[in-house]
Amino acid sequence: MRIATWNVNSLNVRLPQVMDWLANANVDVLALQELKLTDDKFPHDVFAEAGYQSACFGQKTYNGVALITRHEISDVVRNLPHFNDEQSRVITATIQGVRVIGAYFPNGQAPDSDKFVYKMRWLEAMHQWCASQLAQHPHTVLLGDFNITRDDADVWDPVGLANTIHCTPEERLALQRLLDLGFIDSLRELHPNESIYSWWDYREFAFRRNRGMRIDHVLISPDMHNGLIGAEVDKQPRKNERPSDHAPVIIDWTPPSAS
């Protein structure tokens, strides 16, 4: 089972890129972030024609998340229960026996901003949601644009960017609390000694100079650990004309019944 996440930074702009990528990547589940369109504008028909089911939770101009899959989607939950939020950031569903939580974590803007306060409140609500899902579903995946680096290995300039957004101790502690629930950082698990990035700024030739960060993650539940056989960032879409500033992150997992 191949599971991926990709912040496409506007599905309207990058739908052809997404369809081209799907045609070649052979993924079973793709979580998308930053759709930047409302549900009525979501191209369900385009995905269906290519053999995919889809569930979305959109918002005009900002945010928006979706799950794209070759399989049946069931038990869909939009946003975080018990957290009052006007922003469309989370979509959860069961696909092939896996509970998939696709999320676009708040950016936070700056550590001294109201948006950072919102981010920390949101992260606490996400922690509670993940704890409840892990308790109910042995096979759970939390994936998306976290807007958080796990540690300095995820940052091209850890000294210069220390204590800036994505790299603050508060954000990293919140990510660690998610890991403490039992989640496993799939990419780090299989590539423990490598600095691998998933996001590069559009400015200053950051991608060409590999000045990036790893802020997109795929976390898997403990019961999925033994079946984890691959994890990578596909940098090819970042080389497209008018690319997203993020690249897809992919894992390959063998379900117990297939092992």
Side-chain angles (χ1 to χ4, degrees):
M1 189 172 184
R2 179 163 257 217
I3 304 170
T5 180
W6 190 6
N7 179 326
V8 292
N9 192 17
S10 177
L11 189 58
N12 274 332
V13 173
R14 296 185 177 89
L15 180 59
Q17 295 185 33
V18 171
M19 301 312 297
D20 285 347
W21 188 79
L22 282 173
N24 293 290
N26 195 32
V27 297
D28 296 281
V29 181
L30 171 61
L32 298 175
Q33 302 89 46
E34 280 206 271
L35 307 179
K36 298 184 179 179
L37 47 74
T38 52
D39 287 351
D40 60 305
K41 303 293 185 183
F42 190 86
H44 291 284
D45 55 339
V46 177
F47 287 110
E49 189 173 329
Y52 294 90
Q53 294 191 33
S54 52
C56 67
F57 182 37
Q59 181 178 343
K60 186 177 181 180
T61 308
Y62 300 104
N63 307 319
V65 288
L67 296 174
I68 313 299
T69 177
R70 298 182 184 276
H71 310 287
E72 182 180 348
I73 302 174
S74 63
D75 193 13
V76 177
V77 178
R78 292 170 173 82
N79 252 354
L80 298 171
H82 314 301
F83 183 73
N84 187 20
D85 196 359
E86 296 179 353
Q87 301 187 34
S88 301
R89 293 191 173 276
V90 187
I91 187 165
T92 304
T94 299
I95 303 169
Q96 289 290 94
V98 178
R99 193 63 168 160
V100 180
I101 308 171
Y104 176 45
F105 287 46
N107 180 286
Q109 192 174 49
D112 58 352
S113 68
D114 290 342
K115 291 183 178 180
F116 190 82
V117 174
Y118 160 72
K119 181 174 189 173
M120 299 311 296
R121 289 180 54 244
W122 188 95
L123 285 164
E124 178 58 33
M126 173 57 84
H127 183 274
Q128 294 175 14
W129 178 237
C130 288
S132 73
Q133 296 306 286
L134 284 166
Q136 298 175 53
H137 305 278
H139 298 150
T140 298
V141 177
L142 170 62
L143 74 171
D145 176 1
F146 283 44
N147 273 312
I148 304 172
T149 58
R150 181 173 176 183
D151 51 35
D152 286 352
D154 288 343
V155 187
W156 75 273
D157 182 7
V159 175
L161 294 170
N163 298 311
T164 61
I165 201 66
H166 310 315
C167 306
T168 66
E170 295 90 343
E171 293 168 287
R172 288 178 174 177
L173 178 59
L175 175 52
Q176 185 58 51
R177 289 188 68 228
L178 288 171
L179 293 167
D180 289 344
L181 289 172
F183 278 121
I184 295 157
D185 179 351
S186 54
L187 193 72
R188 181 66 61 83
E189 185 73 7
L190 296 186
H191 305 277
N193 301 313
E194 298 179 52
S195 288
I196 302 174
Y197 308 136
S198 64
W199 173 87
W200 300 261
D201 201 313
Y202 287 125
R203 299 169 294 182
E204 299 180 350
F205 304 103
F207 180 67
R208 187 181 303 175
R209 300 160 81 180
N210 200 29
R211 293 184 169 184
M213 294 187 188
R214 186 173 73 110
I215 57 175
D216 305 88
H217 304 283
V218 181
L219 309 186
I220 61 173
S221 60
D223 282 6
M224 295 180 68
H225 183 216
N226 288 341
L228 180 65
I229 56 175
E232 63 178 310
V233 174
D234 183 358
K235 295 169 67 172
Q236 189 61 40
R238 189 60 176 80
K239 301 174 184 178
N240 292 339
E241 286 191 31
R242 299 186 71 197
S244 169
D245 44 356
H246 297 253
V249 182
I250 312 162
I251 70 163
D252 290 293
W253 175 69
T254 302
S257 59
S259 60

